[in-house]
Amino acid sequence: MRKIAAMEDFFSEEHRRQIVETAEKVGFTVDFYPRDTLPAGRETEYEVFYGFPPMDLLKKAVNLKWYCCSFAGVDKFLSDDIYPNPDVMLSNSSGAYGTTISEHMIMVTLMLLRHMPTYVETVRKHQWHESIPMRSICGSTITVLGAGDIGTNFARRAKAMGAKLIRGVRRTAKAGDPCYDEMYTFDRLDEILPKTEILVMALPSTPDTVGMLSRERIALLDKDAIVVNVGRGTAIDQDALMDALNEERIAGAALDVMMPEPLPADHPLWDAKNLIITPHISGNMSLGITRDLDVAMFCEDLENYAVGRPLKRYVNRKIGY
Amino acid sequence: MRKIAAMEDFFSEEHRRQIVETAEKVGFTVDFYPRDTLPAGRETEYEVFYGFPPMDLLKKAVNLKWYCCSFAGVDKFLSDDIYPNPDVMLSNSSGAYGTTISEHMIMVTLMLLRHMPTYVETVRKHQWHESIPMRSICGSTITVLGAGDIGTNFARRAKAMGAKLIRGVRRTAKAGDPCYDEMYTFDRLDEILPKTEILVMALPSTPDTVGMLSRERIALLDKDAIVVNVGRGTAIDQDALMDALNEERIAGAALDVMMPEPLPADHPLWDAKNLIITPHISGNMSLGITRDLDVAMFCEDLENYAVGRPLKRYVNRKIGY
């Protein structure tokens, strides 16, 4: 019998039923485990992994043909070295996180434009603060660096809120979602950074994207610009960003991802000026719609896999998505 | 010569030019004053006031025919007693605040649904907090109490973010904006409160609306419900709301308006559980688009006034808007 190991903590009874039903339909059985708890020795039983297997058992899963990661970011799972053979297919759960992460992005963007950290501090002290001049998403010029599912969900919401101009930036030159006014490739980033009021970053960590927002590029930003990063901390020269914030060369930033994670208690990033830090919580499995979509997308790709169709969320391990 | 006193602090050169040009076109001259500084004795020169006159001079402005308030909320200016005669027309600047206040509403709604106050507290302490289950505007059931310009701007944005069902509630039964799935009148509020996940309130303060969210109605809300108020503090039984928050009978609230304002430093409201307080800053003149619209709308109504057409933002002082 062909077997699947489904290794996640969030499955409801309904999720389990849905996975088992789809599996049976296409000739598989399913064993469920919490994340990271597959007992050593059993890894060889499975043709398919879904969720999070123990990293050290991945290499020994000699019958593994497909690993579907329940997260969108799969940078830890790109190397051939961690698999028993280079032919193991990797897929991710890109598409499950657009709603939750884009809502985070809208929230922190507004918190920065509307000086919410200042009001939070004065309210803590029971002080009635006078009104400070604010800015708006309405009428703003936005650059979305990483125009995939997450970036595009943000762009759609920003468009509906009246953004004046939304530029998408990505690796390839293919046409963008209609919510983008203009599309650019990575190599033209320097042209548009000086004209950007709101820079949002939703990049996977790949050789192309590491360090993309370098010290030189941060220097291209206007002093009124804000930066929001929900992709991976590796995409930003974090020391350079901290300098720009502390010297008020940019207006603010919101980081849900950083280096390292968790951030040590004595790290200077915690106290950078006009910075909103969140502890990598914009995505995860915190939203019901994310969990439901994650399972539905696995089931969809399981049906594809069973009949030899290409996986819809197949990851090319060479380029990283 | 017919004269206008324009009394505001926010006017730019361009705003002054625009007001003067419109006035000259229709046979008026304009004097500019900062808010609340018109010298006593000069109030009799003017046929039109725009902005904020000193309250005590309003009564003595015996030649006043029209007062255009630069704010949307005009509860302080409803009584006949403050005017030299009952025929003085009042208009407001409803329509200038929809963008800024609706962005505030989206921001605080997401902050409540995503437990942002908890993360802010732990980040203050340089602590890396684990992910907490969150909720989303996407898929939610929303009641907009006060379906005017501000409420409707919020409803449009919430719809674009995937809200499942948006109910508008207002005084009259006329058809609502297409962004509302259903429209109700005030007398049916009790039916829909138990089925509301997000209750937003953008009501003017009128005899109809004072105390509308009473203790009895707060008791109808689900324990997962959140309440956002940007209208007037008088609309809520504030003590009852505080009790519901502190006893966790509702999930959270965000108040930009309260009683009294400013809130005294020793008031218990500051420390209510799961409450986001902001010091009445959601509107004001903090956003450029608000200031521009405010002036443009006055100029539009000045042209109406000059030729005897009805004022577009005329306020019926008996009902309060």
Side-chain angles (χ1 to χ4, degrees):
Chain A
M1 195 66 183
R2 301 169 78 182
K3 290 180 74 178
I4 299 165
M7 298 163 283
E8 257 296 1
D9 299 331
F10 73 80
F11 297 139
S12 66
E13 278 312 302
E14 170 58 25
H15 292 144
R16 286 167 191 259
R17 196 199 51 71
Q18 194 180 346
I19 295 167
V20 168
E21 216 165 70
T22 309
E24 285 177 353
K25 197 167 70 180
V26 296
F28 282 81
T29 58
V30 188
D31 293 334
F32 289 95
Y33 303 94
R35 278 191 193 178
D36 220 26
T37 62
L38 182 68
R42 298 206 58 179
E43 70 278 3
T44 57
E45 296 175 25
Y46 300 101
E47 178 179 338
V48 178
F49 280 174
Y50 168 41
F52 273 91
M55 276 300 258
D56 57 325
L57 296 189
L58 204 48
K59 182 79 186 168
K60 300 175 190 158
V62 292
N63 294 308
L64 186 68
K65 293 194 176 153
W66 170 34
Y67 167 36
C68 172
C69 180
S70 46
F71 274 18
V74 290
D75 33 303
K76 287 184 199 150
F77 303 107
L78 298 180
S79 165
D80 277 353
D81 299 344
I82 63 170
Y83 297 99
N85 72 73
D87 297 334
V88 173
M89 286 192 298
L90 174 67
S91 70
N92 68 4
S93 297
S94 168
Y97 297 92
T99 296
T100 185
I101 299 184
S102 68
E103 289 195 354
H104 173 89
M105 295 161 88
I106 291 287
M107 176 185 74
V108 293
T109 297
L110 289 172
M111 287 177 73
L112 289 169
L113 295 177
R114 301 179 68 85
H115 306 292
M116 201 56 191
T118 299
Y119 291 115
V120 167
E121 275 309 300
T122 50
V123 165
R124 266 185 81 79
K125 298 179 203 154
H126 296 197
Q127 287 168 0
W128 195 259
H129 198 291
E130 63 184 356
S131 180
I132 316 168
M134 292 179 185
R135 291 155 62 203
S136 175
I137 288 177
C138 183
S140 63
T141 298
I142 298 177
T143 297
V144 179
L145 185 48
D149 173 58
I150 292 164
T152 302
N153 264 281
F154 170 80
R156 284 190 197 123
R157 286 161 175 78
K159 192 79 183 171
M161 293 177 81
K164 185 172 68 183
L165 179 62
I166 305 184
R167 299 186 171 102
V169 191
R170 65 171 165 203
R171 197 177 59 91
T172 54
K174 59 183 175 173
D177 186 276
C179 69
Y180 294 107
D181 298 294
E182 299 172 0
M183 288 301 297
Y184 294 81
T185 43
F186 288 159
D187 56 299
R188 294 185 59 195
L189 185 55
D190 291 2
E191 287 172 47
I192 57 177
L193 286 179
K195 297 172 281 187
T196 296
E197 293 172 281
I198 300 168
L199 172 64
V200 303
M201 301 176 60
L203 293 164
S205 189
T206 74
D208 274 353
T209 64
V210 169
M212 187 175 282
L213 195 67
S214 60
R215 186 172 286 272
E216 292 70 31
R217 286 188 168 135
I218 290 169
L220 295 176
L221 289 167
D222 189 83
K223 74 172 186 16
D224 286 334
I226 64 167
V227 177
V228 173
N229 189 14
V230 295
R232 283 288 181 264
T234 54
I236 299 184
D237 180 335
Q238 193 166 281
D239 288 338
L241 185 76
M242 236 186 319
D243 291 345
L245 286 166
N246 288 330
E247 293 160 20
E248 298 184 28
R249 284 184 280 111
I250 62 173
L255 302 181
D256 188 50
V257 290
M258 62 215 78
M259 288 178 304
E261 293 176 20
L263 198 66
D266 60 353
H267 197 286
L269 190 68
W270 291 109
D271 296 312
K273 264 189 206 168
N274 299 315
L275 173 65
I276 297 173
I277 289 183
T278 46
H280 203 146
I281 46 82
S282 68
N284 286 340
M285 293 301 174
S286 54
L287 210 61
I289 191 174
T290 300
R291 301 189 289 268
D292 294 347
L293 275 171
D294 209 279
V295 169
M297 295 191 319
F298 169 70
C299 290
E300 183 189 29
D301 258 350
L302 178 57
E303 299 203 37
N304 290 330
Y305 174 79
V307 297
R309 274 194 303 262
L311 298 176
K312 205 157 167 187
R313 278 157 289 271
Y314 174 78
V315 174
N316 177 336
R317 299 215 310 267
K318 298 275 178 289
I319 58 169
Y321 53 96
Chain B
M1 194 67 180
R2 302 168 77 183
K3 291 180 73 178
I4 299 166
M7 297 163 281
E8 256 296 359
D9 300 329
F10 72 80
F11 296 139
S12 65
E13 278 313 302
E14 170 58 26
H15 293 143
R16 285 168 191 259
R17 196 199 52 70
Q18 195 180 345
I19 295 167
V20 168
E21 215 164 71
T22 309
E24 285 176 353
K25 198 167 70 180
V26 297
F28 281 80
T29 57
V30 188
D31 293 333
F32 289 95
Y33 302 94
R35 278 191 193 180
D36 221 24
T37 62
L38 182 67
R42 298 205 59 177
E43 69 279 3
T44 57
E45 296 176 24
Y46 301 101
E47 178 178 338
V48 177
F49 280 174
Y50 168 41
F52 273 93
M55 275 302 254
D56 57 326
L57 296 189
L58 205 47
K59 182 79 185 169
K60 301 176 190 157
V62 291
N63 294 308
L64 187 67
K65 294 194 176 153
W66 170 34
Y67 167 37
C68 173
C69 180
S70 46
F71 273 18
V74 289
D75 33 301
K76 287 183 202 151
F77 303 107
L78 298 179
S79 166
D80 278 351
D81 300 343
I82 63 170
Y83 296 99
N85 72 72
D87 296 333
V88 173
M89 286 193 297
L90 174 68
S91 71
N92 68 3
S93 297
S94 168
Y97 297 92
T99 297
T100 185
I101 300 184
S102 68
E103 289 194 354
H104 173 89
M105 295 161 88
I106 291 287
M107 176 185 74
V108 293
T109 298
L110 289 172
M111 286 177 73
L112 289 169
L113 296 176
R114 301 180 68 84
H115 306 292
M116 201 56 192
T118 300
Y119 290 116
V120 168
E121 275 309 299
T122 50
V123 164
R124 266 184 82 80
K125 299 181 203 153
H126 295 196
Q127 287 168 2
W128 194 260
H129 198 289
E130 63 186 355
S131 178
I132 316 168
M134 292 179 186
R135 291 154 62 203
S136 175
I137 288 178
C138 181
S140 62
T141 298
I142 298 177
T143 297
V144 179
L145 185 49
D149 173 59
I150 292 164
T152 302
N153 264 281
F154 171 81
R156 285 191 197 121
R157 286 160 173 79
K159 193 77 181 174
M161 294 178 80
K164 185 173 69 186
L165 178 63
I166 305 184
R167 299 187 171 102
V169 191
R170 65 171 166 204
R171 197 178 60 92
T172 54
K174 59 184 174 173
D177 186 276
C179 68
Y180 293 107
D181 297 293
E182 299 171 1
M183 287 302 296
Y184 293 80
T185 44
F186 288 159
D187 56 298
R188 295 183 59 196
L189 185 56
D190 291 3
E191 286 172 46
I192 58 177
L193 285 179
K195 296 172 282 185
T196 296
E197 292 171 280
I198 300 169
L199 172 64
V200 303
M201 302 175 59
L203 292 164
S205 188
T206 74
D208 273 354
T209 64
V210 169
M212 187 175 280
L213 196 66
S214 61
R215 188 172 286 272
E216 293 69 31
R217 286 189 168 133
I218 290 170
L220 295 176
L221 290 166
D222 189 84
K223 75 174 184 17
D224 286 334
I226 64 167
V227 176
V228 174
N229 190 13
V230 294
R232 284 289 181 263
T234 53
I236 299 183
D237 180 334
Q238 193 166 281
D239 288 337
L241 185 77
M242 236 187 320
D243 291 345
L245 286 167
N246 289 330
E247 292 161 20
E248 298 183 28
R249 284 184 280 111
I250 62 173
L255 302 181
D256 188 49
V257 289
M258 62 215 77
M259 288 177 306
E261 294 176 18
L263 198 64
D266 60 352
H267 198 286
L269 189 69
W270 291 108
D271 296 313
K273 265 190 206 167
N274 299 316
L275 173 64
I276 297 174
I277 288 182
T278 46
H280 203 144
I281 45 84
S282 68
N284 285 340
M285 293 300 174
S286 54
L287 209 61
I289 191 174
T290 299
R291 301 189 290 268
D292 295 347
L293 275 170
D294 209 278
V295 169
M297 295 190 321
F298 169 70
C299 290
E300 184 189 29
D301 258 350
L302 178 57
E303 300 204 35
N304 290 330
Y305 175 78
V307 298
R309 273 195 304 263
L311 298 176
K312 205 156 166 188
R313 277 156 290 271
Y314 174 78
V315 174
N316 178 336
R317 298 215 312 266
K318 298 276 177 291
I319 60 169
Y321 54 96

